[in-house]
Amino acid sequence: RCGRTQFARSRAPGEPANLSATYEGPYELALGWFFAMPRRMALLLADCAYANRFHERALHATREPFLRKEDDPLNGFWLYKCLREKGMPPVQPLPSMREPEAHNMACISSRGLYRRPSNASIAVHFLKTVSAMRYVAATLRAKRQPAIAVPPSRRCCSRMVWPSERAQHPLEACERLLSAEEMEAERAIDAAAERNRLGRTPRGHEA
């Protein structure tokens, strides 16, 4: 029932329909989306009374009273509240990085804040799935091999990075970028997604 709760389906003003499919399961990673954070910060959030109360209320919510459901604002909000709860100062911003070093993952450009990754990237935002990570690995590999010219494909990027666009582009759009092993792994994800859509469990895999 992941992604089908009233809370997941509620929409903020101006929010596109079915956006919940991109941020509320079922997830490809075992514990949901992958977040990397210092151990000290993880312990702080785990021991935060405010975050625990918020989570308990959200489990039973049927609408959005004030916050959207995406991970970015929620994590930032929890961190702000939990640092105050513990009497700690707010997080200090990192020194500014240059344009190619920190950016959002996007399929539309090789310049600006929304760009495709490169080997100069230090921090890339919005790598939410196994396929997105695989796309970045393949892209960086191709950039390290200039003798093998692989022009960027917006269709391949959209399919691999944006969960809501995966079904709109065929896997063949990525065949020049991905290795045979990576293509096979993507076919397995597609097959699993189709079984999930149809509600069927393969023989021999019943719980």
Side-chain angles (χ1 to χ4, degrees):
R1 296 184 58 81
C2 290
R4 296 183 176 88
T5 63
Q6 289 296 322
F7 183 59
R9 289 184 293 175
S10 61
R11 292 168 62 187
E15 180 180 289
N18 301 318
L19 191 60
S20 61
T22 70
Y23 52 68
E24 181 171 321
Y27 299 110
E28 295 173 5
L29 303 178
L31 300 178
W33 286 343
F34 174 77
F35 292 100
M37 64 178 65
R39 179 176 183 273
R40 183 182 176 191
M41 185 182 299
L43 293 175
L44 172 76
L45 291 175
D47 191 46
C48 177
Y50 182 89
N52 286 320
R53 288 196 304 269
F54 185 99
H55 181 259
E56 183 62 29
R57 290 176 59 198
L59 287 175
H60 305 287
T62 58
R63 60 188 177 88
E64 292 185 76
F66 52 89
L67 278 176
R68 297 185 65 184
K69 301 174 287 287
E70 287 96 325
D71 53 303
D72 301 332
L74 283 179
N75 285 337
F77 180 75
W78 288 336
L79 185 57
Y80 168 76
K81 286 288 192 178
C82 295
L83 286 171
R84 290 190 62 186
E85 180 181 297
K86 302 296 183 182
M88 300 172 67
V91 173
Q92 297 298 312
L94 292 171
S96 296
M97 294 183 183
R98 293 179 301 165
E99 184 180 90
E101 297 175 337
H103 51 89
N104 275 298
M105 177 65 228
C107 304
I108 57 176
S109 175
S110 59
R111 303 179 61 185
L113 178 61
Y114 292 87
R115 60 164 62 212
R116 292 181 292 273
S118 74
N119 287 298
S121 301
I122 295 175
V124 181
H125 178 252
F126 204 84
L127 300 177
K128 304 293 188 182
T129 67
V130 171
S131 294
M133 297 177 193
R134 182 174 291 129
Y135 172 81
V136 170
T139 298
L140 300 188
R141 182 181 65 229
K143 289 180 180 293
R144 293 193 300 268
Q145 300 173 342
I148 305 175
V150 181
S153 165
R154 184 168 178 176
R155 293 202 310 162
C156 175
C157 181
S158 297
R159 171 196 163 80
M160 298 287 283
V161 173
W162 295 93
S164 58
E165 295 193 27
R166 184 180 184 91
Q168 299 179 28
H169 305 288
L171 179 57
E172 287 69 29
C174 300
E175 61 186 358
R176 295 188 63 184
L177 177 67
L178 301 181
S179 67
E181 182 179 356
E182 290 165 338
M183 291 285 286
E184 189 61 30
E186 287 299 306
R187 290 190 186 95
I189 292 175
D190 288 344
E194 180 66 10
R195 289 195 299 268
N196 181 69
R197 186 182 70 83
L198 298 175
R200 292 188 287 109
T201 304
R203 186 180 300 275
H205 290 73
E206 289 85 355

